Amino acid sequence: MNRTSDNEMDRTSRARIGSLARLQPLVDQLFAASGATSWGLPRDLFAAALERSASKRFGQESPGVSQIEEYLSTLHLQDLALACACAEARPDAWDHFVTTFRAYMRSAAGAILRCPPDSPAACELADSLFADLYGLGEGANRRSLFRYFHGRSSLKTWLRAVLAQRHVDAIRAGRRFTDLDGADGHAALPATPLAAPRISSAGAEPLQDPHRTELLTLFHRTLEVALGLLEARDKERLRLYYAAQQTLAEIGRKLGEHESSVSRNLERTRRELRQQVEQALRKGGTVDGVGPGTGLSDAQIALCFEYAAEDSPIDLDTLLPESQATVRKTESKKL
């Protein structure tokens, strides 16, 4: 999609959410909390960033004032202000960003490439991003990658996602060149990923996301609480299907439900369970007030589910013990 159509879509979306002029007290409060004045960022530029963020979030929707207020109050304001100031090439902001985030970016690059953060490959991946972040071109033609940061996640999480995407793009580009070599009638090179080899020393495990264990622990704790709050019948249905590995027909006979009803109820419970876990993680792993209370971003929540699916099997036998009370109740109804 070209820049003209992008701008047209942006204007249309911003028109749907309406001007933030009707939310001036909130904008003033958010501007003060963001620390934008530390970087000499004017209020109008910060307000424009808030409007872009809201338009990106709601897209084709036409949200009410309360929805916009709730969304804006969840943003990582200080990170958004810093990104805006860097996009505007404010020297103090840029110096602060480089000093504060360079080590983290190299560490994240090392985790993505599975190599030490001070290795040439990790440094090259991380440092290659600075030019795009600062912005290419001059004057009105200058376009900083920071323009695409909307404050929905922390700046660190966003930077890690950008680095990961850049690495994936490099792999895909390498594979396209491999395919072209083969199409020219020459022997094609093996389509191997461009990732650096997994490096370990003295039998140590390969490097990975330093926050992986923390995210998995929070995910499992939140899931355990959410499962515990399920209705007994919904919990038993999940246990029979996933832990006991019974068929829909077998579950239906045991619970006195039609097979199609078992399928619909399982789908409903899975959907509601995922929504509850996501909402709890967004609030910091709190379900009905239970949890540490430090909220995760959408990107971090996606990583929680990704990591759990990759290599951390969930022990449903432990989380969903057989409920004899539920079974007896069902059998008495059938009688």
Side-chain angles (χ1 to χ4, degrees), residues 237 248 251-252 256-268:
R237 200 181 291 111
L248 297 177
I251 297 172
E257 297 179 355
H258 191 276
E259 186 174 341
S260 61
S261 296
V262 175
S263 177
R264 287 195 300 271
N265 285 325
L266 280 171
E267 176 59 27
R268 171 188 55 78

Side-chain angles (χ1 to χ4, degrees), residues 40-114:
L41 186 70
R43 181 189 178 283
D44 60 334
L45 291 181
F46 182 73
L50 293 176
E51 193 165 312
R52 284 196 302 271
S53 180
S55 67
K56 181 68 175 179
R57 160 63 180 85
F58 293 104
Q60 302 298 316
E61 302 176 34
S62 298
V65 172
S66 61
Q67 288 178 282
I68 299 175
E69 288 180 337
E70 182 179 1
Y71 169 71
L72 293 179
S73 298
T74 66
L75 297 181
H76 294 254
L77 299 173
Q78 294 182 358
D79 285 352
L80 182 60
L82 176 61
C84 289
C86 288
E88 294 296 322
R90 304 280 170 169
D92 290 346
W94 182 253
D95 290 344
H96 174 78
F97 171 76
V98 173
T99 301
T100 305
F101 287 90
R102 170 171 276 163
Y104 170 79
M105 290 171 63
R106 290 182 174 179
S107 176
I112 291 168
L113 296 173
R114 297 184 181 274

Side-chain angles (χ1 to χ4, degrees), residues 230-237 323 326 329:
L230 287 176
E231 296 291 334
R233 195 173 183 84
D234 290 338
K235 193 184 303 183
E236 180 68 0
R237 200 181 291 111
S323 173
T326 301
K329 184 184 294 186

Side-chain angles (χ1 to χ4, degrees), residues 211-224 281 304 307-308 312:
H211 304 295
R212 186 187 188 100
T213 301
E214 179 183 352
L215 290 175
L216 275 172
T217 300
L218 181 58
F219 175 84
H220 280 283
R221 184 165 62 241
T222 305
L223 176 62
E224 183 175 0
L281 290 172
C304 282
Y307 290 160
S312 183

